[in-house]
Amino acid sequence: QVHMVESGGGSVQAGGSLRLSCVVSGNTDTKYCMAWFRQAPGKERDRVAVIDSNGSTKYADSVEGRFTIAQDKAKNTLYLQMNSLKPEDTAMYYCAAGPFQRLCPAYDYWGQGTQVTVSS
């Protein structure tokens, strides 16, 4: 079982920055995918960024160049650095983990979410 707890959300003005953290505990595989998703009210949950156990990363077009996903394996922590935030980035953000597969399509474990609100 894997347990994931997010933190770092909050309210910022457009153009500001936030860093989300996700502490991962439990039996994690050595080969994995970890990602950040977000869901705005009335919208589907979308993947924002993903990193695999090889360190490869991929971003949604909407955040490319503004967000950075990273991991600290020694601290079992996943991060999402968010810069140049826009009102459309407002959403509940979730971290997730799953087995390593090409394109990282599936996630078995989820955090409870942390709210990010960006005002104009």
Side-chain angles (χ1 to χ4, degrees):
Q1 188 72 14
V2 174
H3 191 53
M4 308 181 79
V5 180
E6 304 98 333
S7 62
S11 297
V12 296
Q13 290 191 327
S17 298
L18 283 174
R19 188 177 79 158
L20 306 183
S21 299
C22 175
V23 177
V24 183
S25 60
N27 293 325
T28 56
D29 292 331
T30 56
K31 297 179 73 68
Y32 55 80
C33 294
M34 290 193 183
W36 289 95
F37 287 74
R38 68 186 181 187
Q39 187 170 21
K43 295 189 176 181
E44 294 185 353
R45 186 176 297 188
D46 294 324
R47 193 176 73 183
V48 172
V50 59
I51 187 168
D52 66 26
S53 44
N54 295 321
S56 297
T57 59
K58 187 172 177 61
Y59 298 90
D61 290 344
S62 58
V63 306
E64 182 80 55
R66 300 188 298 122
F67 290 12
T68 302
I69 189 170
Q71 58 184 332
D72 185 332
K73 294 184 179 182
K75 295 183 178 180
N76 292 326
T77 302
L78 180 71
Y79 299 101
L80 184 68
Q81 178 67 44
M82 306 186 294
N83 298 328
S84 302
L85 283 161
K86 303 175 181 180
E88 51 263 43
D89 294 319
T90 295
M92 185 72 79
Y93 283 72
Y94 301 88
C95 59
F100 178 79
Q101 300 177 59
R102 183 176 173 272
L103 302 181
C104 291
Y107 299 87
D108 300 321
Y109 304 102
W110 296 82
Q112 81 289 349
T114 186
Q115 178 68 38
V116 172
T117 303
V118 185
S119 58
S120 57

